[in-house]
Amino acid sequence: MKNNRQKLQIEQLDKKLSILKSCKDIAHPSKGWIFTVRNTLNMSLKQFGNKLNITAQSAKEIEEREQSKSITLKSLSEAAEVLNMRLVYGLIPKDKSLGEIIEKRAYEVAKEIVLRTSHSMSLEDQENLPERIQKAIKDKAEQIKNELPRYLWD
């Protein structure tokens, strides 16, 4: 990594995110969490709306906005509160960790850079052997991973 501070930040965030990994397989109810919890509690839209100091129609719109993923976090948090629930919000890496995301992307960028250079060299009759190209990709990926340049995400 560029420096120890950045490496530590990645490790600490990976540790926080690892707690959320158990949530990755939770299927969202098709009608949304608010509707599902409210119905399970046998609470009417009017009762739900009263708790939020809004009309039943506005309460229904909140449920519809959650279902269509256009609800604000503020509204979702307020709805959770009146249902005696707590909103938990987070991002879960699709890969194992942030470190793995960085590693994969560094390899992709390194491969692109090395192959571009290798192509130029082959046009000049200075082509490298496949083993040398693989080593160059690996070395370049390690360098990119350690430096963590902004162009990594271009």
Side-chain angles (χ1 to χ4, degrees):
M1 296 291 135
K2 201 174 204 175
N3 57 42
N4 287 338
R5 185 174 152 264
Q6 197 164 31
K7 186 177 180 182
L8 184 61
Q9 283 179 316
I10 291 168
E11 288 172 2
Q12 287 175 339
L13 187 51
D14 266 339
K15 190 173 182 176
K16 286 180 183 179
L17 295 176
S18 70
I19 295 167
L20 296 173
K21 281 194 184 203
S22 61
C23 299
K24 75 178 174 120
D25 294 324
I26 295 175
H28 289 35
S30 61
K31 291 191 175 187
W33 287 107
I34 298 170
F35 173 87
T36 303
V37 171
R38 181 183 62 74
N39 266 358
T40 302
L41 295 174
N42 200 24
M43 183 186 294
S44 71
L45 273 171
K46 185 175 179 3
Q47 291 168 322
F48 178 57
N50 287 342
K51 288 180 166 287
L52 287 168
N53 294 319
I54 58 175
T55 65
Q57 180 58 38
S58 294
K60 183 171 176 44
E61 288 170 6
I62 286 175
E63 290 181 350
E64 289 168 351
R65 285 198 313 270
E66 182 201 2
Q67 188 177 7
S68 69
K69 297 182 180 177
S70 62
I71 192 168
T72 65
L73 286 174
K74 182 178 186 242
S75 293
L76 191 55
S77 181
E78 289 169 354
E81 186 66 34
V82 302
L83 293 169
N84 201 25
M85 306 290 274
R86 187 169 60 109
L87 174 65
V88 177
Y89 173 79
L91 301 172
I92 303 169
K94 290 180 181 178
D95 293 318
K96 289 181 182 177
S97 65
L98 290 175
E100 190 173 300
I101 291 170
I102 292 166
E103 216 166 288
K104 277 176 131 177
R105 184 65 186 142
Y107 183 83
E108 290 169 5
V109 171
K111 186 175 180 181
E112 188 179 304
I113 291 168
V114 170
L115 291 180
R116 193 174 350 145
T117 305
S118 178
H119 179 70
S120 296
M121 289 177 74
S122 70
L123 292 175
E124 298 169 5
D125 269 347
Q126 299 174 10
E127 194 168 2
N128 279 317
L129 296 172
E131 303 85 37
R132 229 172 134 195
I133 291 172
Q134 284 306 314
K135 183 177 178 344
I137 291 171
K138 185 180 171 198
D139 292 347
K140 186 66 176 173
E142 192 63 33
Q143 177 193 357
I144 291 170
K145 189 176 91 172
N146 288 333
E147 291 174 3
L148 211 56
R150 290 202 186 269
Y151 71 78
L152 179 61
W153 309 111
D154 288 341

